[in-house]
Amino acid sequence: MEGKRVLVVEDEPDIGRLLIMHLKDRGIDCQHVQDGRRALVELRRAHWDLVILDLRLNGVDGLEICRTLRQEGNALPVLMLTAKSSELDRVLGLEIGADDYVTKPFSVVEVMARVHALLRRVDLDRQKANGSASLRIGNIWIDEARRRVEVHSKTIELTPKEFDLLLFFACAPGQVFKRVQLLDQVWGFGYEGYEHTVNSHINRLRSKLAQADGDIEYIITVWGVGYKFNDTLSLEHVA
Ligand code: CA
């Protein structure tokens, strides 16, 4: 994790300091801001590999920051810190495009494990950057190692979860997945009651695909069941 840059956005000074201390211990280049507006300035000003974002902040809150980033096409990994274990917070966090969350009070070990997992994806992008296979389906080209997607040869920006969803679907055209199955496979938890999280991620992914390629409907709703990838398209592995 050395050399990675992590921004910590947390209005409780003690929690912020604790996170910074542990990140620094792991050789991570980090910075702490307490205020939502300041966070947006920092996120736009410099390159970051990850943001640890408190949900409840004064002024611009964590949800607003996350939403703004995604609207601006910024796919930076977001680890959300949520107050208590309120179900609403969890769902909202995932719906607006956060990649993972930890509920307060948290153990620092847990947070560092999540940070490590998210940063490892950034590493994979860089390490596997040479000579790996990619997939082509319809007008979509997916470079799994670099986690890059092109449609009609133009790169589209996807959040890590949107990318995971697309890859998961594209590898099995025609196979119908229930929402709870997608939660299980892509998010790693198959709790019932979180299905609308899946819907909102799929809607965002669809709208990005539709913007890039209006001719093909890639992800198809199977009413009363879930979703499937368009089975008139065939998957091609490209060396
Ligand atoms: Ca707070």
Side-chain angles (χ1 to χ4, degrees):
M1 294 200 277
E2 292 205 6
K4 292 291 185 307
R5 287 173 50 77
V6 173
L7 184 67
V8 176
V9 186
E10 170 58 77
D11 59 350
E12 289 162 75
D14 288 348
I15 296 179
R17 271 198 294 270
L18 180 74
L19 291 172
I20 291 288
M21 193 176 81
H22 282 265
L23 290 167
K24 281 193 173 154
D25 270 357
R26 287 160 175 80
I28 292 173
D29 183 1
C30 49
Q31 195 177 325
H32 176 206
V33 293
Q34 298 192 25
D35 164 78
R37 269 173 242 285
R38 180 89 195 122
L40 274 175
V41 171
E42 276 305 318
L43 287 165
R44 287 168 177 152
R45 187 187 66 81
H47 165 79
W48 300 95
D49 295 303
L50 173 77
V51 57
I52 301 178
L53 189 55
D54 185 28
L55 185 75
R56 307 231 175 268
L57 296 164
N58 290 324
V60 184
D61 69 10
L63 289 180
E64 195 55 44
I65 291 171
C66 193
R67 203 178 285 126
T68 304
L69 282 181
R70 298 310 187 221
Q71 277 167 0
E72 291 174 357
N74 188 332
L76 174 70
V78 174
L79 175 61
M80 193 74 93
L81 303 178
T82 74
K84 303 272 173 173
S85 55
S86 150
E87 304 277 276
L88 183 67
D89 284 351
R90 290 179 169 200
V91 173
L92 282 175
L94 293 170
E95 276 198 341
I96 45 110
D99 299 290
D100 204 350
Y101 64 88
V102 177
T103 51
K104 290 180 176 177
F106 54 73
S107 90
V108 136
V109 175
E110 173 74 6
V111 175
M112 291 304 134
R114 304 295 179 92
V115 166
H116 185 75
L118 286 167
L119 287 178
R120 203 171 47 201
R121 290 210 293 233
V122 179
D123 266 348
L124 283 177
D125 296 356
R126 288 176 191 160
Q127 284 170 8
K128 287 192 186 171
N130 291 318
S132 58
S134 51
L135 311 172
R136 189 180 296 281
I137 188 159
N139 297 313
I140 304 179
W141 175 80
I142 304 172
D143 182 337
E144 192 177 347
R146 292 190 188 83
R147 299 180 67 87
R148 263 185 54 208
V149 175
E150 287 182 5
V151 179
H152 284 304
S153 303
K154 274 183 71 180
T155 301
I156 61 170
E157 293 291 333
L158 298 181
T159 68
K161 276 286 176 278
E162 288 164 2
F163 180 89
D164 292 343
L165 261 179
L166 176 62
L167 184 64
F168 186 75
F169 270 115
C171 287
Q175 192 174 334
V176 181
F177 296 103
K178 293 180 190 169
R179 290 170 181 82
V180 71
Q181 267 180 304
L182 291 168
L183 276 173
D184 192 31
Q185 297 290 319
V186 177
W187 276 262
F189 60 87
Y191 305 141
E192 287 187 23
Y194 288 82
E195 288 86 346
H196 55 296
T197 295
V198 175
N199 298 352
S200 60
H201 280 259
I202 286 193
N203 287 342
R204 272 198 305 268
L205 175 59
R206 271 176 164 168
S207 87
K208 288 181 183 179
L209 293 174
Q211 251 176 24
D213 182 4
D215 296 333
I216 300 177
E217 190 186 8
Y218 286 98
I219 297 172
I220 295 169
T221 304
V222 182
W223 294 106
V225 188
Y227 299 98
K228 66 174 182 180
F229 204 82
N230 189 333
D231 47 2
T232 66
L233 304 168
S234 57
L235 180 66
E236 188 189 336
H237 291 267
V238 190

